Amino acid sequence: MFNDLWATFSQQFPDNFASLLTVSTVETVYMSVLSTLIAALLGLPLGFLTFLTNKGAILENKKLNAFLNVIINIGRSIPYIILLLALIPLTSWLLPGGSIGSNAAIVSLSAAATPFFARLTSNALFEIPTGLTETAKAMGATNWQIIRKFYLPESLPTLINAITLTFVTLIGYTAMAGTQGGGGLGSLAINYGVYRNMPSVTWAATIVIVIIVMLSQKLGDTLAKRVDHR
């Protein structure tokens, strides 16, 4: 009886399932981490500039601020699956190897996450007390010093939470990228759970994604609390 149960259970998974799950997990983490890093590098200055050019800010510029807000809002409004398909020609041009695989997925993931992170950055800066700028100016600080020594440290806990949220969001996006050959746990769930009728594989991939999200959120919350000296 036990052998029959084991035989039935084992049929729900491919023979090399452990290896496939490990590789897919690594691919998911790789895509999410690198895309988050790129989004932070591009989105942070974009978000800062949007905040700094706002009305009453130290670099007030209504036209530039309106333009930046339009760009960010358009970028955030495009559904990821549409953006993924629209960027296939660009991905093929950037990566001669083609538009399939983890590296290819990073292009669309970064494009989707950059305006998202820029808006989170801008919102984080708006949470800074309005009197901080006047205090900094009264101390003789230049605009660059205000940004580096006042705005950035004050908003750092919120920015860490923004990075965490971006990373968690991108983990979900990698599953959609997997439907278009992006690799990772999403690709594993589609190729085996759907196409080969192994729903247990889909559930296993989902459980791993949930674990990654929970660990990432815990790490982000811990880091944010450590740097929060307010």
Side-chain angles (χ1 to χ4, degrees):
M1 181 177 178
F2 176 79
N3 291 335
D4 292 339
L5 289 174
W6 175 252
T8 302
F9 177 77
S10 61
Q11 289 176 358
Q12 298 296 316
F13 298 95
D15 294 336
N16 57 340
F17 175 68
S19 176
L20 289 171
L21 185 63
T22 300
V23 171
S24 297
T25 301
V26 171
E27 288 177 345
T28 293
V29 173
Y30 166 70
M31 289 187 290
S32 300
V33 169
L34 193 55
S35 299
T36 300
L37 178 60
I38 295 173
L41 291 175
L42 298 177
L44 186 67
L46 180 59
F48 258 91
L49 189 57
T50 302
F51 168 76
L52 295 174
T53 56
N54 194 55
K55 183 178 179 180
I58 59 177
L59 299 178
E60 180 179 348
N61 187 317
K62 294 182 180 179
K63 292 183 178 180
L64 179 57
N65 182 261
F67 174 75
L68 293 175
N69 275 300
V70 168
I71 295 299
I72 292 174
N73 289 335
I74 290 176
R76 292 176 59 222
S77 301
I78 302 175
Y80 174 67
I81 191 64
I82 295 177
L83 184 65
L84 171 63
L85 297 174
L87 290 180
I88 287 178
L90 175 62
T91 303
S92 300
W93 179 73
L94 292 174
L95 301 173
S99 59
I100 297 177
S102 299
N103 289 328
I106 289 173
V107 176
S108 60
L109 290 170
S110 301
T114 295
F116 178 73
F117 186 78
R119 179 58 69 202
L120 292 178
T121 299
S122 178
N123 290 343
L125 292 168
F126 275 112
E127 294 180 6
I128 297 175
T130 55
L132 183 64
T133 303
E134 287 73 15
T135 301
K137 287 182 176 180
M139 296 173 62
T142 63
N143 288 342
W144 172 243
Q145 289 174 330
I146 292 174
I147 295 171
R148 184 169 59 91
K149 295 185 178 181
F150 292 89
Y151 289 165
L152 190 58
E154 189 72 18
S155 62
L156 187 57
T158 309
L159 289 176
I160 291 177
N161 287 329
I163 291 174
T164 304
L165 179 58
T166 302
F167 179 76
V168 169
T169 301
L170 285 175
I171 290 176
Y173 283 177
T174 61
M176 284 187 278
T179 65
Q180 302 299 320
L185 292 166
S187 180
L188 178 67
I190 291 294
N191 291 334
Y192 287 89
V194 177
Y195 296 151
R196 302 188 186 186
N197 194 28
M198 294 181 176
S200 296
V201 175
T202 300
W203 283 109
T206 302
I207 290 172
V208 173
I209 289 175
V210 170
I211 293 173
I212 294 174
V213 168
M214 292 178 65
L215 291 176
S216 302
Q217 190 65 59
K218 180 64 176 179
L219 177 61
D221 291 343
T222 301
L223 290 175
K225 290 179 181 179
R226 286 188 177 182
V227 301
D228 191 356
H229 302 296
R230 291 174 292 183

